[in-house]
């Protein structure tokens, strides 16, 4: 059974930074594409970033100059570095994973989410 557990969310002032972590367990990690999504109040869940097994990454245009995704295969952990945060970045941030061989379409697994709140 696959489990994704996020951590690192919290309250931060505008302009600040946070580093989110997602620890994966079960029959998953180094060969799987991993990613991050978020869902703000009254909004749909939106894609932020994805990192493939070869560490190639892609980002949503809205965050590509501020957020950085990375992975540590030895620790079965994927990270999302959030810089220059804005109040509109306030959302629940979700870790996601795709089955091996898949990197498109809806993720196969989701974490429970971690709240990020940015104050102005």
């Amino acid at each position: 059974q696959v489990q994704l557990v996020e951590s690192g969310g919290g309250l931060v002032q505008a302009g600040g930074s946070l580093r989110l972590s997602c620890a994966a367990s079960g029959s998953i990690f180094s060969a799987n594409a991993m990613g991050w999504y978020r869902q703000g109040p009254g909004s749909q869940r939106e894609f932020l970033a994805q990192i493939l097994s070869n560490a190639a990454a892609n980002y949503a245009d809205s965050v590509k100059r501020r957020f950085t995704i990375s992975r540590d295969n030895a620790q079965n952990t994927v990270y999302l570095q959030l810089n220059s945060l804005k109040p509109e970045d306030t959302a629940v941030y979700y870790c996601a994973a795709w089955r091996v061989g898949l990197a498109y379409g809806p993720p196969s697994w989701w974490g429970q989410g971690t709240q990020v709140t940015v104050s102005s």
Side-chain angles (χ1 to χ4, degrees):
Q1 182 160 348
V2 172
Q3 276 197 312
L4 304 174
V5 179
E6 301 97 333
S7 61
L11 174 64
V12 63
Q13 288 190 327
S17 298
L18 282 175
R19 189 193 197 199
L20 306 183
S21 300
C22 171
S25 61
S27 302
I28 188 172
F29 202 75
S30 60
N32 297 81
M34 305 291 295
W36 289 91
Y37 287 69
R38 71 183 177 189
Q39 187 166 14
S43 301
Q44 290 187 330
R45 193 170 296 190
E46 65 170 326
F47 167 81
L48 298 176
Q50 182 190 57
I51 186 165
L52 305 182
S53 57
N54 63 1
N58 61 89
Y59 297 89
D61 288 342
S62 59
V63 303
K64 66 192 313 178
R65 277 176 284 277
R66 298 187 297 122
F67 294 0
T68 303
I69 191 170
S70 61
R71 65 191 297 162
D72 183 340
N73 289 340
Q75 298 295 324
N76 282 10
T77 302
V78 61
Y79 303 97
L80 188 68
Q81 178 69 39
L82 315 177
N83 295 329
S84 302
L85 283 163
K86 307 173 183 179
E88 52 264 43
D89 293 318
T90 294
V92 178
Y93 285 68
Y94 295 93
C95 179
W98 285 260
R99 294 187 185 278
V100 173
L102 298 177
Y104 301 99
S108 307
W109 299 282
W110 294 96
Q112 83 289 351
T114 185
Q115 176 71 46
V116 171
T117 302
V118 184
S119 63
S120 57

